């Protein structure tokens, strides 16, 4: 009976805290570079980079110079 009580107590505590513990992944985001073939910042913050000497190669499926979508 004690194990069941501890389990229920733990679940109630988790349910209480989980509503407040969720984080916004965009909060504080400075830049997002999705590795899609360019150095443009996809976060909308316009922190674009510059590509120097990089070349595209084939992906794991053998597709050459394919951009990720």
């Amino acid at each position: 009976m004690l194990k069941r009580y501890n389990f229920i107590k733990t679940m109630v505590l988790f349910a209480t805290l989980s509503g407040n513990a969720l984080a916004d992944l965009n909060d504080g985001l400075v830049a997002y570079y999705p590795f899609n073939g360019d150095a443009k910042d996809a976060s909308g913050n316009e922190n674009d980079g510059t590509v120097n000497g990089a070349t595209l190669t084939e992906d794991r499926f053998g597709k050459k110079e394919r951009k990720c979508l």
Side-chain angles (χ1 to χ4, degrees), residues 6-62:
N6 284 338
F7 175 76
I8 293 170
K9 187 171 74 172
T10 302
M11 294 307 295
V12 169
L13 179 63
F14 177 78
T16 303
L17 294 177
S18 66
N20 297 329
L22 297 177
D24 180 8
L25 296 178
N26 294 320
D27 186 29
L29 181 68
V30 175
Y32 170 56
Y33 306 104
F35 297 102
N36 62 358
D38 60 29
K40 293 182 181 173
D41 175 18
S43 73
N45 294 330
E46 300 181 15
N47 291 319
D48 297 336
T50 304
V51 178
N52 292 316
T55 57
L56 295 176
T57 187
E58 65 183 38
D59 66 9
R60 62 184 172 169
F61 303 113

